[in-house]
Amino acid sequence: MSNHDPVVDPTSRLSRRTLAMDASGIRRAFELGATLENPINLSIGQPDFPVPDAMKSAAIDAIQEDRNGYTVTQGIPALHESIRRHLAHDLGWSRDGDGYSTVVTSGTSGGLLLASLALLDEGDEAIMPDPWFVLYPQLGHLTGATMVACDTYPDFRMTAARVEPLISDRTKFVLVNSPGNPSGVVLTDDEMRDLAALCRDRGVQLVTDEIYDEFVFADSMRPDGTCPSPARFDHQALVIRGFGKTYGCTGWRLGYAAGPTWLVEQMRKLQQFTYVCAPSPLQWGVIEAFDIDNTAQVARYAERCQLVMEALSPHVDVVRPGGAFYAFFEVPPALGMTATEFMERAVERRVLLVPGGVFSGRDTHVRLSFAVDENVLREGLAILVDLLRGG
Ligand code: PMP
């Protein structure tokens, strides 16, 4: 740098939208984690199993065979065909695609951002759950809209009764996430039907983030083994899903959105000018993904969930997760600590958790991920139980 370079005040150069986004909570958790020698990491938001070999081979073949260029912006036709076949089986949507369209996105995050850009103007509102997935509030900063939080404590169910009072004439969409991050709570078919009816009656778009749809435990599944979804009751709903969690390939950055053509067409247009297309060889990698049976993995996660419940429920308020791989428990008020303080105490004992303030307007709960080996999980739970007993 030359001596003549002017001193730059970054805040005067950066956009208000960027400055409004606060990543300090997550950053602090990461930074504390990085100081640990041999952490018991119960903060991880991705599965701990390898990508199925068939998917690895398909992606490697695509790279070797020089299928590395751009694809059409909406994604390769063969993958659309797989998605349609899957949605016909899973949601009862028409396989020929009458009335709905699909777009392959750069992760579920890509789908959520494109949907928000397509639907929200400055001054608009969208309703999201509290607790939320970390991207949701940022969708407001990115679009200039207001994300209105729907308080779902203490059972973490985003029901129609809780959503209805929040709908105003500015509301453009209701965003539901089941199985939920950070709570693992799965809404029932009846709750989904009511939410769909509410949105239809009030003329607001329903957007459903179903990234954990393949991680549903037996007691929260529908009788046919599928995950409850509002899209079964509202064929105008926008379904946003991902491949990353289901198949252990979060770094492949692949997801898809399916919904009304008028909306998905605009998302495709926005993708054309932003992400351009989802990673192309990896699109080939997931064509056969829906045929892969992951029931053994889900059963293993259900057993880990049981370990968590048995260890924690005598000591804390914890809602039994019906899916995903998280439990969100309350720091006992008797301990007189915020969730961040509890997280810091846990770090002193080598256990990494994420404090609820990262996902919520409240800092009263912590998220524990059970996407870890059972022995690590047992060791971590024993330490947590000791802390919860005031140790
Ligand atoms: N939605 C939820 C509820 C999530 O938990 C996550 C990832 N943790 C995402 C979306 C984003 O997923 P992706 O990596 O596919 O962008």
Side-chain angles (χ1 to χ4, degrees):
M1 200 195 278
S2 96
N3 289 339
H4 303 295
D5 280 343
V7 177
V8 171
D9 168 15
T11 55
S12 70
R13 296 214 177 170
L14 293 167
S15 66
R16 284 190 299 280
R17 130 177 21 94
T18 305
L19 293 169
M21 295 167 81
D22 176 20
S24 56
I26 308 178
R27 212 181 301 134
R28 173 142 178 75
F30 281 144
E31 280 166 3
L32 276 175
T35 63
L36 292 184
E37 281 263 310
N38 188 12
I40 300 170
N41 194 347
L42 307 183
S43 73
I44 298 174
Q46 60 185 339
D48 61 327
F49 51 80
V51 177
D53 285 339
M55 285 172 54
K56 286 184 187 165
S57 308
I60 291 167
D61 287 351
I63 291 173
Q64 297 284 16
E65 291 164 13
D66 300 319
R67 284 176 269 145
N68 296 300
Y70 299 127
T71 67
V72 279
T73 199
Q74 68 270 24
I76 55 178
L79 182 51
H80 281 270
E81 176 52 28
S82 300
I83 292 169
R84 285 190 177 286
R85 217 173 343 131
H86 181 64
L87 292 180
H89 154 80
D90 200 51
L91 294 177
W93 282 16
S94 138
R95 176 157 175 201
D96 305 328
D98 314 342
Y100 83 96
S101 295
T102 45
V103 54
V104 179
T105 55
S106 291
T108 313
S109 305
L112 287 161
L113 179 61
L114 295 178
S116 303
L117 289 171
L119 291 168
L120 295 175
D121 276 319
E122 225 160 284
D124 287 339
E125 294 176 359
I127 298 172
M128 65 171 180
D130 178 357
W132 51 68
F133 166 53
V134 290
L135 171 60
Y136 298 169
Q138 312 307 335
L139 295 171
H141 295 303
L142 290 166
T143 57
T146 302
M147 298 301 289
V148 176
C150 174
D151 184 344
T152 67
Y153 287 81
D155 56 11
F156 310 121
R157 310 194 80 80
M158 188 161 156
T159 57
R162 285 176 172 157
V163 172
E164 180 161 28
L166 303 175
I167 296 180
S168 76
D169 49 13
R170 296 180 166 199
T171 307
K172 298 297 275 297
F173 68 81
V174 172
L175 174 54
V176 59
N177 170 221
S178 168
N181 177 9
S183 70
V185 165
V186 179
L187 298 184
T188 62
D189 251 356
D190 285 346
E191 287 169 323
M192 293 301 197
R193 184 184 295 111
D194 291 350
L195 267 180
L198 174 68
C199 290
R200 204 175 32 245
D201 291 351
R202 300 295 295 272
V204 294
Q205 180 65 40
L206 184 52
V207 178
T208 171
D209 175 350
E210 302 186 354
I211 187 166
Y212 299 102
D213 69 316
E214 299 282 339
F215 283 98
V216 183
F217 307 142
D219 48 2
S220 296
M221 278 176 188
R222 302 175 66 249
D224 66 359
T226 57
C227 175
S229 166
R232 217 167 259 112
F233 307 104
D234 178 0
H235 288 205
Q236 290 293 302
L238 183 73
V239 179
I240 302 185
R241 291 182 174 178
F243 293 93
K245 310 273 178 181
T246 312
Y247 305 103
C249 58
T250 47
W252 285 19
R253 309 306 309 133
L254 278 178
Y256 63 92
T261 299
W262 59 263
L263 173 53
V264 173
E265 259 176 10
Q266 298 305 317
M267 291 171 66
R268 289 178 172 192
K269 180 175 79 184
L270 288 160
Q271 173 142 284
Q272 176 79 67
F273 295 124
T274 52
Y275 299 95
V276 181
C277 64
S280 83
L282 303 173
Q283 292 188 45
W284 292 100
V286 297
I287 286 179
E288 309 282 332
F290 297 116
D291 299 331
I292 294 168
D293 180 8
N294 67 346
T295 44
Q297 262 109 0
V298 177
R300 193 151 169 211
Y301 278 51
E303 282 166 22
R304 292 174 181 174
C305 178
Q306 185 59 22
L307 279 180
V308 172
M309 292 306 291
E310 280 169 12
L312 294 184
S313 50
H315 308 284
V316 291
D317 261 343
V318 53
V319 178
R320 175 177 282 280
F325 31 75
Y326 310 111
F328 197 54
F329 65 86
E330 187 182 25
V331 178
L335 290 181
M337 282 185 226
T338 63
T340 301
E341 286 162 350
F342 183 81
M343 179 272 286
E344 287 167 352
R345 292 290 302 280
V347 167
E348 287 166 14
R349 308 272 303 264
R350 286 192 302 125
V351 178
L352 284 179
L353 300 163
V354 188
V358 166
F359 311 105
S360 175
R362 305 183 197 182
D363 195 34
T364 52
H365 290 58
V366 286
R367 189 189 77 175
L368 173 151
S369 160
F370 45 89
V372 289
D373 176 83
E374 289 74 9
N375 291 327
V376 176
L377 184 59
R378 280 200 189 87
E379 199 184 346
L381 287 169
I383 294 172
L384 289 177
V385 166
D386 191 48
L387 279 174
L388 290 166
R389 285 190 177 134

